[in-house]
């Protein structure tokens, strides 16, 4: 009994070194913030239920980890993210952390799901007057429609902010990659229907045909490959307005020709992929960077940091160092072919600056208080 206890204590004390004594036994692990994740066998992720994946799975069972090593998408960093977890390591080998979501939550998510799904801005117009009907708001910079290109990738560096949101609203800062009618969105969101609190958390949203979902919640969801990097993890600390930004996140979406997958790189690390055949087409047409807010009623939630931009990185929510990758894999760090769009600039505004004089590349400032009045009143 004593020996057992002693072993137990040792095990907890040296948890980081003695991975196996704790992790292998656990199916559910917790982040340092107390969120529960289930460690799911890599090949039992929901995306492997997708019809295009059934054969893929058999053919590629061992292949895709090794192809990762050989491909262009080789991880640029060996950095480990054990520090995100209570157990100091993450999930056991060959499993990945999937957010535990209660049936209750799924039900609620589906209840207002249709209207509430993330969108691109292209179907919306400037200063839409039927404001009561419009529930999605955008303050974004996006590639110009007339100059359609075929993109193989895009990236951004996004400041982490904490706009005020009320259930069941959401407010996101994201990159949106449109492929025909399908798309991928990545960034942070404050979304109390999806997550348990009002903090900025990372998210991925996939639309592929009739299938669409957050993170790994459906068979078109992203296939995770890291055992130590969860989706939905709290980002931050959120930037204090007027001070130097305290937190940035880097996201890149890049198609790997070698294995025909779209990869998501987060902080320079490949964390997951989508087989490109689940999408209608194999390239992206349009990219968009900026804020998206959803509300069922007025006033809307804040976007960015809740203020209209002053064109100063220390005062504004922003996305900088944007890039696109063209059909020949040439990286464009200028991205001159963009336009700004806000569907209602009484609530949300956006500006872009290609020539700020700061080492931020092409920068997009966005945000606003979300107070949208019917009359053309100016709100500051
Ligand atoms: C615009 O709306 C139509 C009809 O609802 C939809 O089929 C299409 O995918 C939308 N386009 C974009 C770019 O969101
Ligand atoms: C943006 O890119 C520049 C130059 O490549 C780099 O110095 C800077 O640190 C980047 N900014 C952020 C916030 O990552």
């Amino acid at each position: 009994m004593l020996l057992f206890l002693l072993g137990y204590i040792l095990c907890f004390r040296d948890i980081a070194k003695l991975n196996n004594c704790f992790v292998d036994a656990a199916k559910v692990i917790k982040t340092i913030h107390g969120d529960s994740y289930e460690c799911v066998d890599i090949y039992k992720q929901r995306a492997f239920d997708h019809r295009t994946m059934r054969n893929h799975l058999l053919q590629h069972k061992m292949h895709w980890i090794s192809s990762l090593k050989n491909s262009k998408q080789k991880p640029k960093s060996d950095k480990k993210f054990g520090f995100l977890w209570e157990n100091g390591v993450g999930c056991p080998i060959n499993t990945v952390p999937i957010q535990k979501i209660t049936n209750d939550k799924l039900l609620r998510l589906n209840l207002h799901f249709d209207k509430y799904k993330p969108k691109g801005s292209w179907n919306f117009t400037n200063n839409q007057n039927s404001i009561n009907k419009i529930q999605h708001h955008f303050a974004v910079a996006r590639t110009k429609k007339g100059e359609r290109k075929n993109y193989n990738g895009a990236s951004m560096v996004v400041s982490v902010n904490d706009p005020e949101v009320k259930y069941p609203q959401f407010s996101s800062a994201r990159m949106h990659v449109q492929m025909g009618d399908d798309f991928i969105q990545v960034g942070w969101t404050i979304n109390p229907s999806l997550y348990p609190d009002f903090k900025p958390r990372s998210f991925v949203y996939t639309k592929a045909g009739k299938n669409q979902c957050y993170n790994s919640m459906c068979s078109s969801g992203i296939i995770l490959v890291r055992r130590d990097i969860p989706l939905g993890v709290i980002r931050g600390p959120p930037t204090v307005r007027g001070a130097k930004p305290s937190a940035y996140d880097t996201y890149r979406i890049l198609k790997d020709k070698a294995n025909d997958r779209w990869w998501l790189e987060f902080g320079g690390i490949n964390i997951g992929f989508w087989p490109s055949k689940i999408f209608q087409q194999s390239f992206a047409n349009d990219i968009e960077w900026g804020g998206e807010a959803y509300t069922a009623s007025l006033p809307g939630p804040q976007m960015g940091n809740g203020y209209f931009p002053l064109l100063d990185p220390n005062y504004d929510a922003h996305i900088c160092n944007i890039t696109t990758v063209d059909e020949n894999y040439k990286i464009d760090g200028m991205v001159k072919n963009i336009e700004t769009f806000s569907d209602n600039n009484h609530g949300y505004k956006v500006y872009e600056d290609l020539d700020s004089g700061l080492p931020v590349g092409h920068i997009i400032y966005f945000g606003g208080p979300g107070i949208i009045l019917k009359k053309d009143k100016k709100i500051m």
Side-chain angles (χ1 to χ4, degrees), residues 155-159 248-251 289 313 317-323 333 353 356 358-366:
S155 72
M156 69 167 177
V157 177
V158 58
S159 67
Y248 280 110
D249 281 335
T250 306
Y251 293 88
W289 300 264
H318 57 278
I319 291 175
C320 62
N321 288 6
I322 61 168
T323 73
D353 193 352
S356 66
L358 303 164
V360 290
H362 202 155
I363 186 167
I364 298 153
Y365 304 103
F366 65 94

Side-chain angles (χ1 to χ4, degrees), residues 122 143-145 147-155 175-185 253-255 261-262 276 279-289 323-329 337:
W122 292 279
T143 51
K144 283 185 194 156
K145 251 230 147 90
E147 299 171 32
R148 267 218 163 159
K149 289 191 177 153
N150 297 345
Y151 297 105
N152 277 323
S155 72
M175 177 167 77
H176 178 109
V177 176
Q178 187 80 32
M179 307 177 220
D181 282 340
D182 295 339
F183 66 84
I184 296 171
Q185 257 193 29
I253 300 235
L254 192 57
K255 195 175 71 183
R261 296 187 178 125
W262 288 92
S276 70
F279 299 110
Q280 200 181 49
Q281 61 184 46
S282 63
F283 55 88
N285 312 102
D286 285 299
I287 321 281
E288 171 177 296
W289 300 264
T323 73
T324 55
V325 179
D326 75 9
E327 55 210 321
N328 302 313
Y329 284 88
N337 60 325

Side-chain angles (χ1 to χ4, degrees), residues 121-138 341-346 372-374 376:
S121 71
W122 292 279
N123 272 344
F124 295 77
T125 57
N126 266 106
N127 286 314
Q128 278 176 288
N129 37 22
S130 53
I131 47 172
N132 281 323
K133 276 196 246 153
I134 304 302
Q135 297 176 316
H136 281 262
H137 297 287
F138 303 88
F341 172 80
S342 166
D343 65 281
N344 195 313
N345 52 33
H346 297 309
I372 294 166
L373 298 183
K374 285 186 188 175
D376 245 21

Side-chain angles (χ1 to χ4, degrees), residues 299-312:
Q302 295 183 348
M303 183 190 284
N305 62 7
Y307 291 88
F308 290 131
L310 302 175
L311 279 71
D312 181 336

Side-chain angles (χ1 to χ4, degrees), residues 15-32:
I15 218 93
K17 287 174 217 146
L18 303 168
N19 298 354
N20 294 337
C21 72
F22 180 78
V23 178
D24 282 351
K27 287 268 165 60
V28 174
I29 61 170
K30 281 191 171 180
T31 65
I32 49 172

Side-chain angles (χ1 to χ4, degrees), residues 99-112 167 191-197 217:
Q99 184 196 13
K100 263 187 79 97
I101 187 158
T102 58
N103 285 339
D104 210 40
K105 185 142 253 190
L106 263 183
L107 221 70
R108 264 188 290 159
L109 207 55
N110 285 329
L111 205 64
H112 41 238
Y167 177 86
N191 183 337
S193 306
L194 174 66
Y195 293 133
D197 52 26
M217 292 176 186

Side-chain angles (χ1 to χ4, degrees), residues 50-284:
H50 198 278
R51 65 193 157 72
T52 65
M53 287 301 283
R54 279 184 207 131
N55 292 328
H56 198 84
L57 177 59
L58 295 172
Q59 285 163 20
H60 292 279
K61 192 140 185 170
M62 289 328 290
H63 179 68
W64 64 265
I65 291 277
S66 58
S67 74
L68 176 59
K69 290 201 188 98
N70 297 330
S71 80
K72 265 206 230 150
Q73 288 303 293
K74 187 172 172 166
K76 287 182 187 128
S77 161
D78 288 332
K79 209 169 151 199
K80 299 239 172 0
F81 288 80
F83 62 85
L84 290 173
W85 303 96
E86 259 181 8
N87 70 11
V89 280
C91 279
I93 289 169
N94 291 329
T95 66
V96 291
I98 305 285
Q99 184 196 13
K100 263 187 79 97
I101 187 158
T102 58
N103 285 339
D104 210 40
K105 185 142 253 190
L106 263 183
L107 221 70
R108 264 188 290 159
L109 207 55
N110 285 329
L111 205 64
H112 41 238
F113 201 52
D114 241 25
K115 294 179 235 158
Y116 159 98
K117 290 166 184 165
K119 299 186 186 337
S121 71
W122 292 279
N123 272 344
F124 295 77
T125 57
N126 266 106
N127 286 314
Q128 278 176 288
N129 37 22
S130 53
I131 47 172
N132 281 323
K133 276 196 246 153
I134 304 302
Q135 297 176 316
H136 281 262
H137 297 287
F138 303 88
V140 298
R142 61 191 186 190
T143 51
K144 283 185 194 156
K145 251 230 147 90
E147 299 171 32
R148 267 218 163 159
K149 289 191 177 153
N150 297 345
Y151 297 105
N152 277 323
S155 72
M156 69 167 177
V157 177
V158 58
S159 67
V160 179
N161 303 90
D162 56 349
E164 200 181 302
V165 170
K166 295 193 174 69
Y167 177 86
Q169 301 171 331
F170 72 68
S171 185
S172 308
R174 84 291 186 273
M175 177 167 77
H176 178 109
V177 176
Q178 187 80 32
M179 307 177 220
D181 282 340
D182 295 339
F183 66 84
I184 296 171
Q185 257 193 29
V186 296
W188 60 255
T189 187
I190 295 185
N191 183 337
S193 306
L194 174 66
Y195 293 133
D197 52 26
F198 293 83
K199 300 204 162 97
R201 289 169 177 268
S202 60
F203 80 102
V204 169
Y205 192 83
T206 315
K207 178 182 181 298
K210 291 199 173 87
N211 246 318
Q212 52 186 319
C213 64
Y214 280 101
N215 300 343
S216 315
M217 292 176 186
C218 67
S219 64
S220 296
I222 186 170
I223 298 173
L224 296 175
V225 300
R226 292 282 301 211
R227 65 186 181 114
D228 56 347
I229 306 182
L231 291 171
V233 77
I234 294 176
R235 308 311 305 152
T239 293
V240 176
R241 188 165 181 261
K244 222 175 137 180
S246 52
Y248 280 110
D249 281 335
T250 306
Y251 293 88
R252 181 196 303 273
I253 300 235
L254 192 57
K255 195 175 71 183
D256 188 348
K257 245 193 307 198
N259 54 27
D260 214 22
R261 296 187 178 125
W262 288 92
W263 281 94
L264 171 60
E265 208 180 280
F266 176 63
I269 294 171
N270 279 302
I271 67 165
F273 70 88
W274 299 257
S276 70
K277 58 185 157 199
I278 71 166
F279 299 110
Q280 200 181 49
Q281 61 184 46
S282 63
F283 55 88

